[in-house]
């Protein structure tokens, strides 16, 4: 039997075609698969109200979609924590959003900029020079140059930092301007609330809020993929702000053309922005970042030790910061100056965390999810490009992230020869240098695997 996530993903794909976009965004998208209990797929609904609505409106459709999914359980049921149903495992943002419904509507709250992130503590290197320059220009003269600005780059490379830096700089130099920073999830949740919440005028308030600002920043816009209702709303917000000469900044983990399932109007608006990327930092920039962070924590660490750390952590700056925090913590705990032993200990923990519990299966699953292909095909014999590419990337990543002999890697793919694995490894290594799309894919899948 397929796992709950795969079953739900396939059902969602079908329902998205059948249900109008607003209905899909409001009722279906927030559902989360909890488990497969015997022969029943259990879906969590964010609130008691939405559970009742979904049951009344969509149950026959949900059942029909389920029947279409091969290897799926035979029935579906809805639960909601608010009804006293058992809570789902893991975190569920929609539950939180639904709870917030009872509180005064969040959509009237002012946005919060994180004062921790500013231009002064943003280290500029070859990897982010363009994004930094564009961001500074925008902050100096919002709405006039580079409008909109679209920043993209891998996880933990400073996109959110740079957006807050723009906001904080504008706040300082033009305190009369209205600034709004939101994640795309917040945008989506508030949009849904504005439609579902019974209070009259909420929808107007939502629009007022987003269309009356001087600087609107929406982070992680890749998450609006497959959310046609939200995309439509973003499109109209976009049009309203642009015609009023207001500044917009978007961030995403990939360039506009690589965000799947995006309305062509939204895609073309994103693409017409100034699109700038942030690349993983080189060694020198990594050292400079560590220097800045340790200085601001007022901890003195020798240059050669910072270099030692920077050489050994991945290109994800957030993870590198984690190692530095651990180093400083260990030094404080042992009442010692930071030395090589401490750095090694912190790095050991980091590696364990990085490599522990990763399995070949997980890597293959993440790769399949990323490319939206079936695992059976990837570990099977198909030779079409849509399947061969994910297969080679999964082989490459297993080789990179695990200490598995080549022939054992081959076995994970239905008994392929070790020479096939070598070919895949070399091919993907070369493509990472020459093909931005592959580089992004490999980086994203790696982040998915390591985040587990
Ligand atoms: P992203 O939004 O791209 O996933 P973040 O902006 O959250 O990444 O950055 C992750 C962490 O790395 C943050 O703590 C941020 O301050 C830090 N960081 C990223 N780039 C830089 C930089 N160039 N200089 C200083 N710190 C940085
Ligand atoms: Mg971010």
């Amino acid at each position: 039997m397929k796992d709950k996530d795969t079953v739900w993903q396939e059902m969602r794909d079908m329902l998205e075609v059948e249900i109008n976009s607003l209905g899909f965004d409001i009722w279906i998208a927030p559902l989360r698969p909890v488990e497969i209990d015997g022969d029943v797929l259990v879906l969590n609904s964010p609130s008691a109200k939405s559970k009742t609505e979904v049951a009344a409106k969509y149950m026959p459709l949900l059942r029909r979609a389920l029947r279409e999914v091969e290897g799926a359980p035979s029935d579906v049921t809805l639960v909601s924590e608010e009804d006293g149903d058992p809570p789902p495992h893991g975190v569920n943002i929609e539950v939180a959003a639904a709870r917030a419904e009872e509180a005064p509507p969040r959509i009237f709250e002012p946005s919060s900029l994180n004062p921790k992130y500013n231009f002064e503590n943003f280290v500029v290197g070859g990897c982010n020079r363009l994004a930094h320059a564009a961001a500074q220009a925008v902050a100096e003269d919002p709405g006039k140059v580079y409008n909109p600005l679209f920043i993209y780059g891998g996880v933990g490379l400073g996109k959110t930092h740079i957006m807050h830096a723009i906001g904080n700089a504008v706040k300082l130099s033009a305190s009369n301007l209205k600034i709004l920073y939101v994640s795309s999830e917040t945008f989506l949740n508030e949009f849904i609330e504005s439609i579902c919440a019974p209070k009259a005028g909420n929808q107007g308030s939502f629009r007022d809020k987003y269309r009356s600002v001087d600087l609107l920043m929406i982070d992680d816009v890749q998450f609006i993929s497959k959310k046609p209702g939200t995309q439509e709303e973003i499109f109209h917000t976009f049009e309203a702000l642009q015609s009023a000469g207001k500044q917009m900044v978007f961030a995403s983990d990939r360039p506009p053309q690589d965000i799947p399932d995006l309305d062509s109007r939204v895609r073309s608006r994103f693409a017409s922005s100034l699109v700038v990327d942030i690349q993983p930092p080189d060694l020198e920039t990594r050292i400079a970042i560590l220097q800045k962070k340790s200085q601001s924590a007022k901890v003195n660490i020798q240059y050669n030790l910072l270099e030692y750390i920077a050489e050994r952590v991945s290109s994800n700056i957030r993870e590198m910061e984690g190692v530095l925090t651990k180093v400083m913590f260990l030094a404080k705990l042992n009442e010692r100056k930071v030395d090589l032993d401490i750095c090694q200990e912190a790095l050991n923990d980091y590696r364990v965390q990085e490599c522990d519990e990763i399995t070949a299966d997980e890597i293959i699953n993440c790769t399949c999810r990323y490319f939206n292909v079936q695992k059976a095909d990837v570990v099977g014999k198909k030779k079409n490009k849509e399947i061969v590419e994910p297969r080679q990337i999964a082989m490459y990543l297993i080789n990179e992230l695990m200490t598995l002999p080549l022939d054992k890697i081959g076995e994970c793919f239905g008994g392929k020869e070790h020479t096939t694995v070598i070919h895949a490894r070399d091919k993907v290594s070369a493509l990472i240098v020459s093909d931005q799309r592959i580089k992004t894919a490999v980086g994203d899948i790696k982040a998915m695997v390591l985040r587990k």
Side-chain angles (χ1 to χ4, degrees):
M1 201 187 281
K2 283 180 182 158
D3 64 65
K4 64 177 187 341
D5 295 313
T6 313
V7 172
W8 178 234
Q9 187 56 51
E10 290 182 26
M11 285 172 72
R12 269 182 65 125
D13 290 347
M14 276 180 247
L15 292 166
E16 200 175 348
V17 181
E18 299 216 11
I19 301 172
N20 70 51
S21 58
L22 204 55
F24 182 85
D25 271 11
I26 294 173
W27 303 115
I28 303 299
L31 301 177
R32 290 283 173 273
V34 182
E35 59 182 347
I36 293 178
D37 183 9
D39 217 14
V40 180
L41 172 69
V42 182
L43 294 175
N44 180 67
S45 187
S47 66
K49 190 175 80 189
S50 74
K51 178 183 148 183
T52 315
E53 288 286 333
V54 174
K57 284 191 169 111
Y58 296 112
M59 211 49 179
L61 260 180
L62 283 169
R63 292 214 165 91
R64 205 172 78 210
L66 187 72
R67 277 201 300 277
E68 302 284 323
V69 178
E70 226 179 289
S74 60
D75 202 5
V76 56
T77 184
L78 289 163
V79 296
S80 159
E81 245 185 290
E82 275 187 2
D83 267 356
D85 294 328
H89 312 293
V91 188
N92 188 324
I93 46 154
E94 281 80 14
V95 171
R99 287 214 182 103
E101 255 183 43
E102 268 118 52
R106 286 186 292 122
I107 54 175
F108 303 112
E109 286 170 17
S111 71
S112 52
L113 285 171
N114 189 339
K116 210 176 89 182
Y117 295 143
N118 50 50
F119 282 123
E120 287 69 47
N121 61 15
F122 188 82
V123 175
V124 185
C127 56
N128 55 27
R129 195 175 306 282
L130 210 58
H132 175 261
Q136 273 205 318
V138 162
E140 273 160 28
D141 216 352
K144 301 294 186 304
V145 286
Y146 310 144
N147 188 22
L149 174 64
F150 190 104
I151 303 167
Y152 76 90
V155 178
L157 297 186
K159 302 180 296 296
T160 299
H161 186 136
I162 225 168
M163 287 179 119
H164 283 280
I166 295 175
N168 285 318
V170 172
K171 201 166 137 188
L172 262 185
S173 62
S175 54
N176 58 325
L177 295 190
K178 276 165 99 178
I179 304 163
L180 185 51
Y181 163 89
V182 286
S183 65
S184 65
E185 252 166 6
T186 304
F187 185 89
L188 167 83
N189 287 338
E190 293 187 358
F191 169 54
I192 291 173
E193 254 176 53
S194 78
I195 289 167
C196 300
K199 296 173 193 70
N202 257 9
Q203 193 162 2
S205 310
F206 171 83
R207 292 201 168 137
D208 286 349
K209 174 178 168 177
Y210 281 94
R211 295 180 196 182
S212 66
V213 294
D214 299 289
L215 167 59
L216 175 64
M217 295 182 282
I218 307 184
D219 206 348
D220 288 320
V221 288
Q222 73 274 9
F223 291 130
I224 66 168
S225 160
K226 297 194 176 172
K227 310 244 169 38
T230 308
Q231 291 177 22
E232 169 115 26
E233 194 56 35
I234 285 201
F235 170 74
H236 292 299
T237 307
F238 198 110
E239 295 288 281
L241 288 179
Q242 191 154 53
S243 63
K246 308 299 187 187
Q247 178 74 45
M248 282 165 286
V249 182
F250 302 101
S252 159
D253 69 351
R254 65 201 71 190
Q257 69 271 21
D258 290 352
I259 302 177
D261 297 292
L262 199 59
D263 181 294
S264 59
R265 293 175 306 174
V266 178
R267 192 189 304 282
S268 78
R269 296 302 183 285
F270 282 164
S272 70
S273 315
L274 174 68
V275 180
V276 287
D277 68 335
I278 300 188
Q279 292 291 327
D282 55 23
L283 180 64
E284 217 175 301
T285 312
R286 295 211 294 277
I287 299 172
I289 292 172
L290 288 174
Q291 246 168 348
K292 196 142 230 171
K293 304 263 173 199
S294 56
Q295 275 162 9
S296 78
K298 301 202 168 39
V299 177
N300 194 15
I301 306 179
Q302 282 171 17
Y303 182 88
N304 59 339
L305 293 176
L306 294 176
E307 189 177 22
Y308 184 86
I309 299 170
E311 273 169 354
R312 283 162 181 79
V313 285
S314 79
S315 46
N316 181 327
I317 300 171
R318 193 176 295 129
E319 282 176 3
M320 190 171 75
E321 271 182 3
V323 175
L324 181 67
T325 307
K326 184 77 190 259
V327 165
M328 296 191 293
F329 168 76
L330 289 173
K332 197 161 176 213
L333 191 73
N334 297 309
E335 295 176 350
R336 266 184 19 215
K337 279 180 90 173
V338 174
D339 57 19
L340 189 61
D341 283 348
I342 286 182
C343 295
Q344 279 170 340
E345 192 178 338
L347 280 162
N348 278 343
D349 289 354
Y350 162 73
R351 285 217 194 81
V352 169
Q353 199 192 350
E354 194 174 49
C355 302
D356 206 25
E357 292 174 16
I358 294 176
T359 61
D361 239 20
E362 253 167 31
I363 296 173
I364 298 172
N365 286 339
C366 288
T367 312
C368 290
R369 235 185 307 140
Y370 183 88
F371 285 103
N372 202 12
V373 291
Q374 297 297 322
K375 186 173 173 186
D377 292 336
V378 169
V379 302
K381 293 196 164 35
K382 284 196 178 163
K383 292 218 158 50
N384 47 321
K385 183 168 184 275
E386 290 71 31
I387 299 300
V388 171
E389 192 173 278
R391 183 184 295 146
Q392 291 181 330
I393 288 180
M395 285 178 175
Y396 169 88
L397 280 170
I398 294 173
N399 182 61
E400 188 192 320
L401 297 174
M402 299 178 62
T403 45
L404 211 57
L406 295 170
D407 54 336
K408 290 273 180 272
I409 299 180
E411 280 174 21
C412 304
F413 292 83
K416 304 262 184 319
E417 292 290 329
H418 77 283
T419 46
T420 311
V421 180
I422 293 173
H423 173 69
R425 183 195 63 193
D426 295 348
K427 183 163 174 202
V428 176
S429 303
L431 282 174
I432 284 177
V433 181
S434 63
D435 186 335
Q436 181 63 40
R437 187 179 61 86
I438 298 291
K439 185 176 168 194
T440 306
V442 170
D444 287 354
I445 298 164
K446 197 165 150 186
M448 279 160 81
V449 173
L450 297 179
R451 231 182 288 146
K452 277 184 153 251

